[in-house]
Amino acid sequence: MTETARISFKKMHVLHVVGARPNFMKAAPVLHALSQTDGMEQTLVHTGQHYDVNMSEVFFQQLGMPQPDVNLGVGSGSHAQQTSEVMSLFEPVVLDRKPDMVLVYGDVNSTAAAALVCSKLMVPVGHVEAGLRSYDRAMPEEINRLVTDQLADLLFTPSDDGDVNLLREGIPREKVRLVGNVMIDSLVRLLPEAKNSQEAKRLASGLDRYGLVTIHRPSNVDDPSTLLPILDALGEISQSLPLIFPVHPRTRERMEGMIPADVQKRLKLVEPLGYVDFLALQMSATVVITDSGGIQEESTYLGVPCLTLRENTERPVTVTLGTNVLIGHDLKRLHVEVENILAGNPKEGEIPPLWDGHASERIASELAKWDG
Ligand code: UD1
């Protein structure tokens, strides 16, 4: 066989790194799209940043993801501990597996840690969900986004604000690919299944309408003087609108003993839900109250009003085009907005361009033609 023929038959080895809940629904469609693309070999590494069954395993099952080839088992810790643990355990995996490209997702500690390892080993990195900026460096995720984007060789953006941010930071245009929102690929694929979720039917049974709540961001839950007023406000809202509240482990720990028994009855506190069950509750919710990033996007796609308990968002398109309203810490405004929605005047929205369920196919085709 000639040298040229051998090179053209060599498969491209793509190694995916996932670690925390919001990574899984982004990686699943890319893994699937690459499995349908000729000449691709794939390895899946789970850092173990999230390890509870309902923060990790349930997502693998419901999203139909393959079992990870490697689990680094890093678990919880301070930011420095978690990041350095991923780095030391991931480096030998890269040296051993010799990927042609490492794909990292979103903005969690595992994302930045893996990108740092690869850049020192001169292994190309692709960042899925690049270019998002809240311009709030108090958010650990913002630091992870900045670092990862500076190091990445291919930057896959979900919306054109991402391209603008990257170019402003001096990232060369030729590294950037506007592909759309991969998370919406998972949503589109699993929406039919969500319509049959028995768990969602059970949780919402007997409720004409309900709000869906998720809060886990350190800036909202770590300080009791911030968390307590939020819980009080939710308690009041639940007098006119029942609220279903799947509680993240961080939040569960912080709110121990904070909610009076009568309020607890009205706020339906449940364990974190699987992807399909949460999606099912979200699509039929009257309003979503959240501090999550991804839920701002999902609710925009679903056309469900979203009230975001943050001062800023790295996903501005959900506000300019979508159903999202930034509430910040203005809990009076939260009441007013909920009342507006209950009175039948929610913010109308539209689906942003390229949030069409095919972003992962565009990533696969970009990778197939990528020549370094
Ligand atoms: C991480 C991400 C955040 C994302 C969130 C979604 C970073 C910097 N943050 O935050 O962007 O929105 O995931 O869930 O990467 N814990 C468990 N079981 C688990 C995971 C966590 O009990 O499976 C508890 C531990 O007490 C841990 C705490 O939750 O200390 C926080 O977990 P960690 O992964 O550090 O950050 P998250 O707050 O989940």
Side-chain angles (χ1 to χ4, degrees):
M1 198 191 288
T2 65
E3 186 64 8
T4 337
R6 202 146 43 80
I7 289 167
S8 66
F9 278 110
K10 185 182 177 296
K11 288 193 170 192
M12 180 181 191
H13 179 189
V14 177
L15 186 151
H16 307 255
V17 182
V18 294
R21 185 170 62 174
N23 291 155
F24 306 137
M25 59 293 268
K26 295 166 195 165
V30 181
L31 278 154
H32 178 72
L34 285 178
S35 74
Q36 307 295 304
T37 308
D38 284 341
M40 293 288 171
E41 176 191 344
Q42 305 194 70
T43 299
L44 178 58
V45 175
H46 190 333
T47 66
Q49 176 174 341
H50 283 176
Y51 45 87
D52 283 1
V53 169
N54 54 13
M55 295 293 283
S56 176
E57 204 175 305
V58 168
F59 285 78
F60 273 72
Q61 285 162 10
Q62 296 196 343
L63 292 161
M65 287 170 78
Q67 280 306 305
D69 299 288
V70 180
N71 192 323
L72 304 178
V74 299
S76 301
S78 70
H79 287 283
Q81 283 166 345
Q82 203 168 51
T83 307
S84 57
E85 187 83 348
V86 173
M87 288 182 70
S88 357
L89 294 172
F90 182 54
E91 185 179 56
V93 174
V94 179
L95 290 169
D96 176 40
R97 303 269 174 160
K98 301 182 180 49
D100 298 306
M101 161 74 66
V102 170
L103 285 186
V104 296
Y105 295 84
D107 55 14
V108 301
N109 286 339
S110 302
T111 310
L116 266 164
V117 167
C118 294
S119 63
K120 300 282 176 74
L121 295 176
M122 311 285 282
V123 172
V125 175
H127 184 201
V128 177
E129 199 185 76
L132 300 188
R133 295 291 179 270
S134 64
Y135 291 95
D136 174 3
R137 290 201 181 191
M139 278 182 86
E141 293 82 0
E142 182 76 352
I143 308 301
N144 292 336
R145 291 188 280 262
L146 283 160
V147 169
T148 307
D149 284 342
Q150 278 300 321
L151 300 176
D153 300 275
L154 262 182
L155 297 100
F156 299 108
T157 53
S159 44
D160 53 12
D161 54 287
D163 295 41
V164 172
N165 292 331
L166 293 173
L167 299 185
R168 196 188 288 140
E169 288 167 19
I171 306 284
R173 170 80 257 177
E174 56 273 20
K175 287 186 177 181
V176 182
R177 309 282 190 281
L178 175 58
V179 290
N181 192 329
V182 277
M183 213 180 56
I184 300 302
D185 293 14
S186 286
L187 189 157
V188 169
R189 184 169 67 86
L190 289 168
L191 210 48
E193 209 171 303
K195 290 182 179 147
N196 295 320
S197 162
Q198 294 310 311
E199 178 66 357
K201 284 187 185 137
R202 189 181 67 74
L203 287 170
S205 83
L207 305 177
D208 285 343
R209 54 187 185 174
Y210 61 86
L212 182 62
V213 177
T214 74
I215 307 166
H216 72 278
R217 223 152 267 293
S219 57
N220 279 329
V221 305
D222 281 1
D223 182 350
S225 69
T226 309
L227 180 57
L228 202 51
I230 293 177
L231 295 176
D232 281 346
L234 294 176
E236 271 176 48
I237 290 168
S238 69
Q239 289 179 335
S240 42
L241 179 69
L243 297 177
I244 302 176
F245 184 176
V247 189
H248 183 283
R250 170 192 283 281
T251 314
R252 191 192 321 125
E253 204 178 288
R254 305 294 194 276
M255 64 193 240
E256 198 69 46
M258 271 192 186
I259 303 188
D262 59 320
V263 178
Q264 241 190 74
K265 270 193 212 135
R266 295 197 307 270
L267 277 186
K268 208 170 214 179
L269 301 176
V270 296
E271 289 296 311
L273 295 167
Y275 180 79
V276 169
D277 307 319
F278 189 84
L279 177 56
L281 283 176
Q282 199 177 176
M283 60 192 251
S284 303
T286 301
V287 58
V288 175
I289 301 174
T290 190
D291 62 7
S292 150
I295 294 168
Q296 296 171 49
E297 299 184 332
E298 290 170 348
S299 53
T300 271
Y301 184 87
L302 295 168
V304 171
C306 178
L307 304 177
T308 298
L309 299 179
R310 287 179 42 191
E311 300 290 345
N312 49 52
T313 179
E314 62 288 337
R315 294 159 162 94
V317 74
T318 61
V319 176
T320 52
L321 288 185
T323 55
N324 190 16
V325 176
L326 288 184
I327 298 296
H329 292 108
D330 185 351
L331 298 173
K332 281 203 190 92
R333 170 112 195 262
L334 179 66
H335 283 285
V336 171
E337 294 292 346
V338 170
E339 272 165 31
N340 275 340
I341 292 163
L342 293 180
N345 303 312
K347 178 177 185 246
E348 302 287 339
E350 59 180 271
I351 297 174
L354 297 176
W355 292 23
D356 57 359
H358 299 289
S360 51
E361 291 152 38
R362 290 187 279 271
I363 291 176
S365 94
E366 289 295 341
L367 286 173
K369 41 185 206 226
W370 190 70
D371 58 9

